[in-house]
Amino acid sequence: MTKPKPSNDEILDIATRTFSEKGYDGARMAEIAKAAGVNKATLYYRIGDKDILFTAVLKRIFGTKVGQLEEMLKTPQSAEAKIHEFAKILVLGEIPEQFGAIMLREIANGGRNLPDEVLPLMGRTVGVLEEILASGQKDGVFKPINPFLLHMALVGGCSLYATNGPIRRRVAQMAPKDSAIHKELPLNEAANHIAEMLLGGIRITRN
Amino acid sequence: MTKPKPSNDEILDIATRTFSEKGYDGARMAEIAKAAGVNKATLYYRIGDKDILFTAVLKRIFGTKVGQLEEMLKTPQSAEAKIHEFAKILVLGEIPEQFGAIMLREIANGGRNLPDEVLPLMGRTVGVLEEILASGQKDGVFKPINPFLLHMALVGGCSLYATNGPIRRRVAQMAPKDSAIHKELPLNEAANHIAEMLLGGIRITRN
DNA sequence: AAATGGTTTAACTGGATGGTTAAAATGAGT
DNA sequence: ACTCATTTTAACCATCCAGTTAAACCATTT
């Protein structure tokens, strides 16, 4: 019956979920405070205004992803395996849909609410992919392709699939019975499949 | 010096741009009215409330895309060429970024503002891609893959690239000088490159 | 030129929302 | 137990915003 006062980190958890579901404009400070179990003024006292809160959310979520990517980069797997890992890291995690939704929306927004501080983190995700591709090319197993466009297709495809569940199910109801849209794939399998398709265009094939 | 009163279609043009730039929550009815050169009440009189306006915008933009896709489907090109066309249709058009931005945001939103009427149109874009793939498989040139995931990667990749210009340029400023992010690709080339990568994973290769 | 009916307008409303404040509660150090 | 800084709270405020209203406007008909 007691309510242990939530840590700042727990507040950020709630804020992350709210922003990922409603977007920056759609999220309400009062709503976040209530969901976190703190008074609205406490939220302002502890963390700050909406911009500061959003920045904190972005820094933490992108920071976590970049950390996982850097770790993965150090492992001794093949470049090809690392592409698969890259896709899985994007799409999985404690809170799968959230990263994708926030990323998609921020991009669609032209980064209107994106503070400078998170830009290096976004840039680093591209950088990691570039390093994987460069190493694959050095080993003579990858073609030269535009890493940034691969990044778009990989991130776009995985994030879209990770977040489109609600719409997908609504569309599925009115789609032909034999449509592929009815197949509910777990996120990691979807990420694998997308990565595999793209690897088909990257891998050097002798023919 | 005279101001010819804008047609409903011109109002929809403005509304489409506003919604694509700001999103549903970020767009202001007063802003749309002013930009279109009509009184706010006129906007309500002529079209209706925010939901009705948004629905009209969605129906028109998705309807146009689906129309173009259906036309393309009828042409006598190879399945492979049609995949390329598919990507180009998504990303090009009178108002390139708008479709992508609206689509990405709607998906990230879980379709909170998406009316039932546009679902068949969204479903049809997947359907068109499925038909292309089926025909390619019948001709023995395509592997069996999950069409829905191809759709994700293609739409996601192209839409992301089409809309991420502003962020990309900001990230580029703090990226290493040799990063692929600095290369400014025209949209149709980017769409081609992404389609080509994915085709690598679709095409049947003898090896 | 008066009546009619569709269209546009400025002004307004009610409720929500981001942000503030002053006072109360809490707790650590003495 | 007292002091003082930190934290929490309820109440408050100014602004914004979707949507409405009643009057004005204009074209056509009679």
Side-chain angles (χ1 to χ4, degrees), chain A residues 105 109 114 116 130 170 180, chain B residues 105 109 114 116 130 170 180:
Chain A
R105 227 180 321 236
N109 271 337
L114 200 64
D116 283 340
E130 284 185 304
R170 276 174 72 194
Chain B
R105 224 178 326 234
N109 270 336
L114 200 64
D116 283 340
E130 284 185 303
R170 277 173 71 194

Side-chain angles (χ1 to χ4, degrees), chain B residues 89-111:
Chain B
I89 289 175
L90 283 183
V91 111
L92 299 177
E94 312 97 88
I95 23 124
E97 304 81 18
Q98 298 181 358
F99 178 76
I102 288 180
M103 169 147 233
L104 291 181
R105 224 178 326 234
E106 259 337 281
I107 290 179
N109 270 336

Side-chain angles (χ1 to χ4, degrees), chain A:
Chain A
M1 210 51 219
T2 59
K3 48 169 186 178
K5 72 176 188 178
S7 67
N8 280 13
D9 228 57
E10 286 165 329
I11 293 179
L12 282 190
D13 288 344
I14 300 288
T16 304
R17 200 173 71 212
T18 308
F19 281 126
S20 81
E21 284 171 2
K22 312 275 182 79
Y24 183 88
D25 289 315
R28 305 286 158 221
M29 293 299 277
E31 180 193 7
I32 292 171
K34 193 178 173 190
V38 275
N39 189 283
K40 187 156 63 99
T42 305
L43 182 57
Y44 275 86
Y45 177 80
R46 289 241 223 129
I47 295 181
D49 66 18
K50 201 175 185 180
D51 276 319
I52 294 171
L53 176 60
F54 191 56
T55 299
V57 164
L58 290 176
K59 279 171 76 171
R60 201 182 58 153
I61 199 168
F62 274 94
T64 305
K65 287 292 180 198
V66 167
Q68 293 172 320
L69 290 175
E70 301 279 15
E71 278 305 306
M72 179 271 288
L73 200 56
K74 284 189 233 153
T75 63
Q77 313 167 78
S78 69
E80 186 160 323
K82 283 181 184 169
I83 300 274
H84 278 285
E85 284 302 309
F86 187 97
K88 268 195 221 121
I89 289 175
L90 282 183
V91 110
L92 299 176
E94 312 97 89
I95 23 120
E97 305 81 18
Q98 297 181 0
F99 178 76
I102 288 179
M103 169 148 232
L104 292 182
R105 227 180 321 236
E106 257 339 280
I107 290 179
N109 271 337
R112 237 178 339 125
N113 306 302
L114 200 64
D116 283 340
E117 305 159 68
V118 308
L119 294 180
L121 294 170
M122 294 191 73
R124 187 62 191 130
T125 65
V126 184
V128 168
L129 192 58
E130 284 185 304
E131 288 186 30
I132 298 174
L133 281 172
S135 114
Q137 282 162 14
K138 191 163 60 82
D139 298 350
V141 294
F142 284 175
K143 294 179 202 168
I145 55 150
N146 184 321
F148 188 70
L149 290 179
L150 173 63
H151 192 259
M152 294 289 101
L154 211 45
V155 173
C158 292
S159 297
L160 227 52
Y161 188 78
T163 57
N164 81 352
I167 289 190
R168 190 172 67 239
R169 285 182 275 276
R170 276 174 72 194
V171 173
Q173 287 185 333
M174 27 189 72
K177 293 190 191 73
D178 60 334
S179 171
I181 205 173
H182 297 290
K183 193 164 187 180
E184 284 280 345
L185 271 177
L187 288 180
N188 61 339
E189 282 181 38
N192 250 321
H193 196 126
I194 290 174
E196 195 48 50
M197 273 193 285
L198 286 163
L199 275 167
I202 300 171
R203 226 181 261 129
I204 289 180
T205 54
R206 55 206 152 97
N207 66 331

Side-chain angles (χ1 to χ4, degrees), chain B residues 95-151:
Chain B
I95 23 124
E97 304 81 18
Q98 298 181 358
F99 178 76
I102 288 180
M103 169 147 233
L104 291 181
R105 224 178 326 234
E106 259 337 281
I107 290 179
N109 270 336
R112 238 177 339 125
N113 306 302
L114 200 64
D116 283 340
E117 306 159 68
V118 307
L119 293 180
L121 294 169
M122 294 191 74
R124 186 62 191 130
T125 64
V126 183
V128 168
L129 192 58
E130 284 185 303
E131 288 186 31
I132 299 173
L133 281 172
S135 112
Q137 282 163 14
K138 192 161 60 81
D139 298 350
V141 294
F142 283 175
K143 294 179 202 167
I145 56 151
N146 184 322
F148 188 70
L149 290 179
L150 173 62
H151 192 259

Side-chain angles (χ1 to χ4, degrees), chain B residues 65-113:
Chain B
K65 287 292 178 198
V66 167
Q68 293 172 318
L69 289 175
E70 300 280 13
E71 279 305 308
M72 178 272 288
L73 200 55
K74 284 189 233 153
T75 62
Q77 313 168 76
S78 70
E80 186 160 322
K82 282 182 184 168
I83 300 273
H84 278 284
E85 283 302 309
F86 187 97
K88 267 192 223 126
I89 289 175
L90 283 183
V91 111
L92 299 177
E94 312 97 88
I95 23 124
E97 304 81 18
Q98 298 181 358
F99 178 76
I102 288 180
M103 169 147 233
L104 291 181
R105 224 178 326 234
E106 259 337 281
I107 290 179
N109 270 336
R112 238 177 339 125
N113 306 302

Side-chain angles (χ1 to χ4, degrees), chain B residues 167-182:
Chain B
I167 289 189
R168 190 172 67 240
R169 285 182 276 276
R170 277 173 71 194
V171 172
Q173 287 184 334
M174 27 188 72
K177 294 191 190 72
D178 60 335
S179 171
I181 206 174
H182 297 290

